Amino acid sequence: MHWSEKIAKDIIKRNPDKEEYVCAAGISPSGSIHIGNFRDIATSYFVYKALIKQGKKARLLFSWDEFDRLRKVPVNVKAIAPELEADIGKPYVDVKDPFGCCSSYAEHFEKEFERSLARFGIKVDSRRQSENYRSGKYAKYVVESIKRRREIFDILDKFRQQTATEEEREAYYPVSIYCPACGKDETTITSSTEDGVHAEYTCKCGHSGSWNFETDYNCKLAWKIDWPMRWMVEGVDFEPGGKDHASPGGSYDTSKIIAKKIFGFNAPMFKGYEFIGIKGTTGKMSGSTGLNLTPETLLKIYQPEVILWLYSKSEPNKAFDFCFDDEILRQYFEFDKMLKTYQAGKGKNFDYIEGIMHNCMIEGRELHAVPMQQIVNFGSVVDFNSPMLETVFEKIGSPYKEEEFAERLELAKYWLEVCAPENMNTLLSFRNFDYYNELSDVEKKEIELLHDYIAKGGFDLEDLKLYLYAIPREADPNFDEDKKKEVQANFFKNVYRLMIDKDAGPRLYLFLYAVDAQKYVPLLDFSTPQTEEEKTAAEEYKAEKARIAAEEEAARLAAEEEERRRAAIPPVKDQITIEEFDKIDMRVCKIVKCEVVKKAEKLLKLTLNDGLGERVIVSSIRDYYTPEEMVGKKIIVIANLKPAKFAGEKSNGMLIAASGDDFGCKVIFVDDAVPEGTPIH
């Protein structure tokens, strides 16, 4: 039984008489929706389908959390609209679209994701939380939450490690007001009536005023109160969440208590899901280009059914990878194998396979398991020309039609050009004399025999296959039968190098039979001298190849350096409690005097103002700083470290600095605006 069907059965068991079950998902449009976020809706979608499959009425509810505050501006957005930094604190729905094509920041990224969602055939009952809040739909629940704010605080406090004070409890409010003056949530509620209706507030922008939560709707509950409130309003039966929400003491554990005690609603079934990995280089799809790894991006190399299949066959709490390297071909192969069993309606482990594939099928689409490996092998050779590829398939005895492989051909083209250009099988535009001249006389004879055989024509696929294996024996009167396989493999390699400048490629007999012989026969004919045009083409090709190799080597060295850097970073030390941390007295000190310790080569003696008076510390930073450049600077010092003597000088504390083999020692300096004696928390 598929994992989604097990969840569906448990949902029905909990509430067997419910008329309609609700599976929910929600995403904040903070930027382009990442493939990891897509697991939220995919998980809920599969459970929704499982409920339908079991004869129940169900609804797939999707919430756009566009009333959340803009917390930070993504790198790719900041590059074109740096002014949006000034909008941090406003709800996404009130921030302008940086690309200028939609009414708001939220709408831009919502539409981007919804376009992808349509490709998967996923239909949702959508909610925009800005509309729900601003219409007053949630007003009475906001009032109830404020009225019971102390009770909510006590629930939240049970999951905190540090002890809360009564002042914190009294100052706590579970709602943020978006300021009427600046539009941000940088407000502080200073007081409220016991019925939770009226409040006084101030804002960082200087504005202050009164608020009536029954009529003023431009406010939002905190996440751990907002989430259970929405469960209750929508009657949610199932909702997944990332593993951060699923962790002990995380959002779900907290919110299910609030759901029950504050809103009188039993929390829905929950399933935590793992994050998604990326395997292989993404080439031009790297983060530096600003192209995020979204479902829309994946759809450039994966059919939508294959994406759904990857989510479906992995339980939510299991990680898996999307592959931009050769592993994607293995994924297509495994998908096709499972698809054939599913389409046949029988086979080994059919029930298991049917459970997975049921979630992947998209209404109105017909799938054909045309091998992606063959499309990749031959696609570039025929310059991704569909009719020519159809001819190739006919010639090799796999008569796939253009309409059956056209979609995959486009995906293969994009993958080869953008992610894996090294997998291209492109015929050379010149005879490879550099390689040919290095061959032995026997190896040259093998190439001559192959050329003459192909040029003569009149053979079928089986004839060609048999002759290819016979050529090494025919070319060498001293042929060693014990080394037959080794010699044949070497011959094949030589042919590949002369045709596509690679040591291997598609099965050679298929390759030679499928491709138009007129395109490659000249590459095997070395009976005439090399022309000047060929020399020029060869030099240009070698230069470009060297450039690419240099780039790849630089990337490899950079990756190795990054790996070494990470390996040199010490592991995180054992956890400490907040009480233990509080024992460390770190404070800002100003250097009023700095001098060399004459008895030691590396020591400087620093006289500091720590806010309470004068203290002296000794530090081994003389190789990196002069006394003159230290005077007047503000630093962080551990003030309650036991005194120690260095070269006869007593040190009362230790400054904070970073050190490493590649950058030496860097003292952490503090902004001059911070007063001496200020504690560091």
Side-chain angles (χ1 to χ4, degrees):
M1 184 183 296
H2 191 260
W3 57 262
S4 64
E5 295 175 9
K6 293 177 184 176
I7 293 173
K9 284 185 177 295
D10 289 339
I11 291 171
I12 296 168
K13 186 177 179 180
R14 288 181 72 192
N15 199 349
D17 299 323
K18 192 173 184 185
E19 182 179 340
E20 182 182 59
Y21 296 96
V22 178
C23 298
I27 297 175
S28 176
S30 56
S32 293
I33 308 306
H34 193 272
I35 55 172
N37 300 125
F38 186 75
R39 196 165 199 176
D40 199 78
I41 193 167
T43 303
S44 203
Y45 174 59
F46 297 152
V47 175
Y48 156 79
K49 290 194 73 171
L51 286 164
I52 300 293
K53 188 178 181 182
Q54 293 177 38
K56 300 298 181 181
K57 186 178 180 182
R59 177 161 54 96
L60 181 60
L61 176 70
F62 182 74
S63 290
W64 278 117
D65 293 327
E66 59 180 10
F67 207 42
D68 289 355
R69 74 192 301 269
L70 175 67
R71 296 184 181 278
K72 66 178 181 178
V73 182
V75 174
N76 63 320
V77 175
K78 190 175 181 179
I80 62 169
E83 69 276 9
L84 291 190
E85 288 282 325
D87 286 337
I88 289 176
K90 293 181 179 179
Y92 293 114
V93 72
D94 289 349
V95 178
K96 75 168 188 176
D97 175 15
F99 303 94
C101 56
C102 295
S103 64
S104 70
Y105 184 102
E107 185 184 28
H108 179 89
F109 294 110
E110 288 167 0
K111 284 190 172 181
E112 180 183 82
F113 183 70
E114 286 167 353
R115 285 195 300 270
S116 299
L117 213 55
R119 295 276 305 276
F120 294 101
I122 299 176
K123 298 175 182 177
V124 298
D125 180 12
S126 62
R127 299 283 187 274
R128 284 176 164 74
Q129 293 305 323
S130 63
E131 296 174 3
N132 281 349
Y133 270 101
R134 285 175 169 169
S135 68
K137 181 177 180 178
Y138 297 151
K140 63 181 179 180
Y141 308 115
V142 172
V143 170
E144 182 68 13
S145 298
I146 296 170
K147 184 178 177 182
R148 302 175 67 178
R149 62 192 178 89
R150 297 178 185 87
E151 190 177 344
I152 292 173
F153 180 88
D154 291 340
I155 295 170
L156 298 174
D157 189 50
K158 290 178 181 178
F159 294 91
R160 300 199 321 172
Q161 290 186 345
Q162 62 268 45
T163 303
T165 64
E166 187 58 34
E167 288 77 13
E168 286 179 295
R169 184 173 186 266
E170 194 56 39
Y172 172 74
Y173 285 89
V175 65
S176 294
I177 293 172
Y178 284 113
C179 176
C182 68
K184 300 182 179 181
D185 68 345
E186 297 176 340
T187 53
T188 300
I189 297 175
T190 56
S191 66
S192 69
T193 56
E194 288 302 315
D195 61 4
V197 175
H198 299 281
E200 299 295 320
Y201 69 94
T202 61
C203 182
K204 283 186 178 180
C205 73
H207 176 77
S208 62
S210 300
W211 199 267
N212 184 332
F213 290 102
E214 288 184 336
T215 57
D216 299 329
Y217 304 141
N218 201 36
C219 57
K220 184 183 181 299
L221 289 170
W223 165 244
K224 292 180 182 179
I225 300 89
D226 172 88
W227 198 20
M229 180 268 293
R230 284 154 48 180
W231 290 339
M232 181 266 298
V233 171
E234 300 289 354
V236 177
D237 297 285
F238 172 76
E239 183 164 4
K243 65 179 183 181
D244 49 343
H245 293 319
S247 62
S251 296
Y252 179 72
D253 279 357
T254 308
S255 295
K256 69 181 179 182
I257 296 174
I258 292 173
K260 183 66 174 178
K261 291 191 174 183
I262 304 301
F263 300 113
F265 183 77
N266 289 324
M269 284 192 62
F270 177 80
K271 188 71 174 177
Y273 54 79
E274 259 289 353
F275 299 132
I276 306 299
I278 297 296
K279 189 175 181 185
T281 176
T282 55
K284 296 177 186 175
M285 296 161 93
S286 66
S288 61
T289 66
L291 184 57
N292 293 311
L293 293 176
T294 64
E296 193 168 41
T297 301
L298 289 178
L299 286 166
K300 296 177 185 294
I301 60 174
Y302 283 99
Q303 285 180 296
E305 290 87 354
V306 181
I307 294 175
L308 291 175
W309 173 75
L310 286 166
Y311 284 107
S312 179
K313 78 184 186 77
S314 302
E315 291 207 25
N317 59 349
K318 304 293 184 184
F320 68 88
D321 296 325
F322 282 104
C323 300
F324 292 85
D325 58 8
D326 291 357
E327 279 293 297
I328 192 174
L329 301 178
R330 178 189 59 79
Q331 289 177 332
Y332 268 101
F333 174 79
E334 290 180 359
F335 173 82
D336 287 349
K337 184 178 178 182
M338 204 172 280
L339 176 64
K340 290 175 182 176
T341 301
Y342 178 72
Q343 289 175 333
K346 59 182 179 180
K348 187 178 180 181
N349 298 324
F350 179 75
D351 289 344
Y352 166 75
I353 290 171
E354 191 277 336
I356 293 172
M357 299 304 295
H358 172 76
N359 291 327
C360 310
M361 298 299 103
I362 300 173
E363 187 178 350
R365 283 173 55 85
E366 186 177 358
L367 289 180
H368 302 278
V370 182
M372 194 63 154
Q373 181 72 65
Q374 288 192 11
I375 295 174
V376 165
N377 285 343
F378 296 118
S380 54
V381 176
V382 299
D383 199 25
F384 303 102
N385 181 292
S386 294
M388 289 179 66
L389 185 57
E390 185 176 296
T391 301
V392 167
F393 281 133
E394 288 176 358
K395 290 176 71 175
I396 64 175
S398 303
Y400 299 115
K401 299 302 179 185
E402 182 178 346
E403 60 270 19
E404 295 174 337
F405 63 74
E407 181 183 27
R408 285 193 174 184
L409 181 61
E410 284 302 308
L411 298 172
K413 182 174 186 289
Y414 188 90
W415 178 69
L416 285 167
E417 292 179 345
V418 177
C419 304
E422 70 280 0
N423 284 16
M424 284 274 201
N425 293 318
T426 305
L427 293 171
L428 291 173
S429 61
F430 56 89
R431 290 178 293 173
N432 193 350
F433 269 90
D434 285 348
Y435 188 80
Y436 179 78
N437 289 335
E438 296 297 319
L439 299 180
S440 68
D441 289 342
V442 170
E443 290 172 326
K444 289 178 179 178
K445 181 64 176 178
E446 291 171 346
I447 301 303
E448 181 184 346
L449 289 172
L450 175 61
H451 167 268
D452 293 347
Y453 183 80
I454 298 294
K456 182 180 178 182
F459 51 82
D460 60 22
L461 183 60
E462 188 61 26
D463 291 337
L464 175 59
K465 181 179 179 180
L466 292 172
Y467 188 63
L468 277 176
Y469 284 98
I471 283 177
R473 184 182 290 105
E474 184 177 334
D476 185 2
N478 300 313
F479 185 78
D480 186 346
E481 288 290 341
D482 292 338
K483 296 183 178 180
K484 178 175 65 176
K485 289 186 178 180
E486 179 184 336
V487 174
Q488 288 172 337
N490 185 67
F491 165 54
F492 293 168
K493 183 194 74 171
N494 291 338
V495 177
Y496 286 125
R497 288 295 300 272
L498 292 173
M499 293 175 61
I500 60 176
D501 195 29
K502 293 165 73 172
D503 287 342
R507 290 184 182 179
L508 189 57
Y509 72 97
L510 291 177
F511 187 60
L512 296 175
Y513 190 75
V515 180
D516 182 0
Q518 297 305 312
K519 289 188 175 183
Y520 67 81
V521 163
L523 299 177
L524 302 173
D525 182 6
F526 292 88
S527 61
T528 58
Q530 186 179 25
T531 66
E532 289 302 317
E533 291 81 0
E534 284 179 314
K535 289 180 182 179
T536 300
E539 288 302 317
E540 290 176 349
Y541 176 81
K542 284 191 290 184
E544 177 63 11
K545 190 175 178 180
R547 183 191 66 78
I548 294 172
E551 287 183 354
E552 290 176 347
E553 178 63 11
R556 184 188 66 79
L557 292 174
E560 287 182 357
E561 179 60 30
E562 175 64 13
E563 191 171 331
R564 282 194 295 270
R565 185 192 69 79
R566 288 180 177 273
I569 297 174
V572 175
K573 296 179 181 179
D574 291 343
Q575 290 184 349
I576 61 173
T577 65
I578 190 67
E579 290 79 11
E580 290 172 313
F581 177 78
D582 281 342
K583 292 179 181 179
I584 304 172
D585 187 330
M586 290 190 293
R587 59 181 58 211
V588 175
C589 298
K590 184 174 183 178
I591 303 171
V592 296
K593 185 179 178 181
C594 183
E595 53 193 317
V596 170
V597 178
K598 294 181 180 179
K599 295 180 182 179
E601 293 182 357
K602 297 181 180 295
L603 298 181
L604 289 180
K605 177 182 175 182
L606 292 81
T607 303
L608 312 169
N609 178 358
D610 65 6
L612 298 174
E614 195 173 88
R615 76 167 55 228
V616 172
I617 67 169
V618 177
S619 183
S620 57
I621 58 172
R622 185 171 165 185
D623 287 346
Y624 307 100
Y625 298 94
T626 64
E628 293 75 20
E629 63 184 312
M630 295 299 288
V631 173
K633 297 288 179 63
K634 290 185 177 179
I635 60 175
I636 300 172
V637 171
I638 298 178
N640 62 338
L641 194 66
K642 286 184 178 180
K645 275 194 173 184
F646 301 96
E649 297 285 350
K650 187 177 181 180
S651 180
N652 290 286
M654 181 175 68
L655 62 76
I656 303 296
S659 61
D661 293 339
D662 52 347
F663 61 86
C665 177
K666 298 293 182 184
V667 173
I668 297 176
F669 295 109
V670 180
D671 192 290
D672 196 52
V674 182
E676 297 92 316
T678 301
I680 302 297
H681 298 294

